[in-house]
């Protein structure tokens, strides 16, 4: 009886092992990532540049915090056009040349206006930095000949969400940041991030818009969403592997390890 049972067990074990190997092969075959889904700028050699990078400028929006400094050949004449306050130790990095005072910022209100010394209320919301500077110069020329005006957005930030290595909100020191630079700030996408369907959410003058960007194709560098605007939100959607893994649960690795051990024991026992 035992002599008849042992061949039967061996035969079933052989079938089990072969089936397991076949399933493992199929799993590995379908789990291999396609180059088209991973590699960036795949068709860059075949494209031509359509957009002049130097033409891009962000537009000033409500709640922007602006640092505006007015200068003139005679510094005394420009003093009334600069808001200032007594500096403290915490804002010593913004101290003026005298080391005594700091420049205050202008908050753009919900209607796109700022209150400027001497001149009064000025509408700059929706204007580019160049347009806003020109508007200020036109108004200040009434009082100062050849004024020099510097302007900077102090609270320029972007938010990175989803399948990036370090999600969060990032402050940007310049007013020019690309989508790729923002992804680099977040230490790039995880292996589970969909590189062909990155969502950029933007609000301009109270109107929200969105666009999906495929960074595996180089022509996205000509997209209006290649350069980011202040307060943009970038969301990287998880791929199917990550979604399926979340459905299976955290015990997947334990189950796979247990099956591997069983297969190894079966091979040793029925060898």
């Amino acid at each position: 009886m035992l002599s008849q049972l042992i061949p039967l067990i061996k035969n079933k074990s052989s079938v089990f092992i072969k089936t397991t190997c076949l399933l493992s092969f199929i799993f590995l075959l379908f789990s291999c990532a396609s180059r088209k889904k991973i590699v960036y700028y795949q068709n860059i050699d075949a494209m031509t540049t359509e957009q002049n990078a130097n033409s891009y400028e962000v537009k000033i929006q409500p709640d922007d915090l602006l640092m505006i400094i007015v200068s003139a050949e005679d510094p005394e004449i420009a003093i009334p056009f600069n808001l200032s306050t007594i500096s403290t130790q915490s804002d010593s990095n913004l101290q003026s040349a005298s080391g005594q005072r700091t420049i205050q910022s202008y908050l753009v209100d919900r209607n796109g206006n700022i209150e400027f010394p001497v001149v009064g209320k000025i509408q700059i919301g929706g204007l580019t930095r160049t347009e806003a500077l020109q508007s200020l110069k036109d108004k200040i020329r009434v009082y100062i000949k050849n004024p020099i005006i510097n302007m900077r957005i102090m609270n320029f930030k972007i938010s990175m969400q989803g399948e990036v290595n370090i999600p969060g909100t990032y402050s940007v020191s310049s007013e020019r940041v690309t989508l790729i630079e923002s992804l680099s700030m977040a230490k790039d996408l995880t292996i589970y991030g969909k590189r062909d369907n990155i969502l950029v959410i933007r609000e301009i003058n109270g109107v929200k818009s969105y666009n999906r960007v495929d960074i595996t194709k180089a022509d996205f560098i000509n997209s209006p969403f290649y350069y980011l605007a202040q307060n943009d939100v970038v969301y990287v959607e998880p791929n199917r592997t990550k979604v399926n893994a979340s459905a299976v649960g955290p015990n997947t690795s334990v189950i796979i390890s247990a099956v591997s051990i069983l297969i190894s024991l079966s091979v040793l026992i029925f060898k």
Side-chain angles (χ1 to χ4, degrees):
M1 182 69 178
L2 183 61
S3 60
Q4 294 176 351
L5 185 61
I6 291 176
L8 180 62
I9 293 175
K10 287 185 176 181
N11 182 53
K12 289 185 177 180
S13 175
S14 176
V15 172
F16 171 75
I17 293 173
K18 290 179 179 179
T19 303
T20 303
C21 291
L22 178 61
L23 291 174
S24 299
F25 173 77
I26 294 173
F27 173 78
L28 290 174
L29 180 65
F30 283 96
S31 64
C32 294
S34 170
R35 178 181 182 274
K36 292 182 178 180
K37 294 183 178 180
I38 297 296
V39 179
Y40 301 170
Y41 320 116
Q42 291 177 32
N43 61 336
I44 193 167
D45 294 329
M47 65 172 292
T48 58
T49 303
E50 299 176 2
Q51 177 180 348
N52 183 359
N54 294 325
S55 65
Y56 175 80
E57 280 191 272
V58 299
K59 292 186 177 181
I60 297 171
Q61 303 177 23
D63 296 326
D64 280 351
L65 201 60
L66 306 178
M67 182 179 71
I68 303 175
I69 302 175
V70 179
S71 304
E73 293 180 3
D74 184 355
E76 295 296 324
I77 299 177
I79 289 177
F81 295 88
N82 291 298
L83 288 176
S84 60
T85 183
I86 301 299
S87 64
T88 62
Q89 187 174 1
S90 62
D91 57 15
S92 58
N93 60 319
L94 295 177
Q95 287 185 13
S96 62
S98 63
Q100 298 297 319
R101 307 181 76 82
T102 59
I103 302 299
Q104 285 189 337
S105 300
Y106 298 83
L107 180 65
V108 182
D109 67 20
R110 57 185 296 182
N111 298 315
N113 299 317
I114 61 171
E115 288 287 344
F116 204 77
V118 182
V119 176
K121 185 177 291 186
I122 302 177
Q123 172 78 35
I124 60 174
L127 301 181
T128 65
R129 181 176 175 275
T130 300
E131 292 169 343
L133 284 174
Q134 187 60 53
S135 178
L136 281 169
K137 284 183 179 180
D138 291 341
K139 295 181 182 300
I140 295 175
R141 278 199 187 101
V142 177
Y143 309 93
I144 301 176
K145 183 179 180 180
N146 299 324
I148 300 172
I149 305 175
N150 291 316
M151 177 187 295
R152 177 182 170 190
I153 300 175
M154 301 298 293
N155 59 342
F156 194 112
K157 63 183 185 298
I158 53 176
S159 297
M160 308 297 297
Q161 298 179 335
E163 289 299 322
V164 291
N165 283 296
I166 307 180
T169 299
Y170 292 84
S171 297
V172 181
S173 57
S174 69
E175 296 172 10
R176 244 172 115 90
V177 60
T178 67
L179 175 59
I180 292 302
E181 287 173 330
S182 71
L183 293 174
S184 297
M185 292 177 191
K187 305 304 179 185
D188 208 354
L189 282 71
T190 69
I191 194 64
Y192 302 109
K194 294 183 70 173
R195 288 150 173 79
D196 59 351
N197 195 34
I198 296 176
L199 177 64
V200 180
I201 302 173
R202 178 170 299 172
E203 182 176 342
I204 299 178
N205 297 328
V207 179
K208 292 182 176 63
S209 63
Y210 70 93
N211 190 58
R212 296 186 183 274
V213 180
D214 181 358
I215 63 174
T216 65
K217 297 179 180 177
D219 52 5
F220 86 92
I221 65 177
N222 294 322
S223 162
F225 289 82
Y226 175 68
Y227 284 100
L228 298 181
Q230 62 271 44
N231 304 316
D232 275 1
V233 176
V234 178
Y235 173 68
V236 180
E237 186 178 345
N239 60 20
R240 184 175 298 179
T241 301
K242 182 64 176 287
V243 173
N244 292 341
S246 65
V248 173
N251 296 322
T252 304
S253 59
V254 176
I255 295 173
I256 293 175
S257 299
V259 171
S260 299
I261 293 173
L262 289 175
I263 293 173
S264 299
L265 289 174
S266 300
V267 172
L268 292 174
I269 292 172
F270 298 107
K271 186 175 180 180

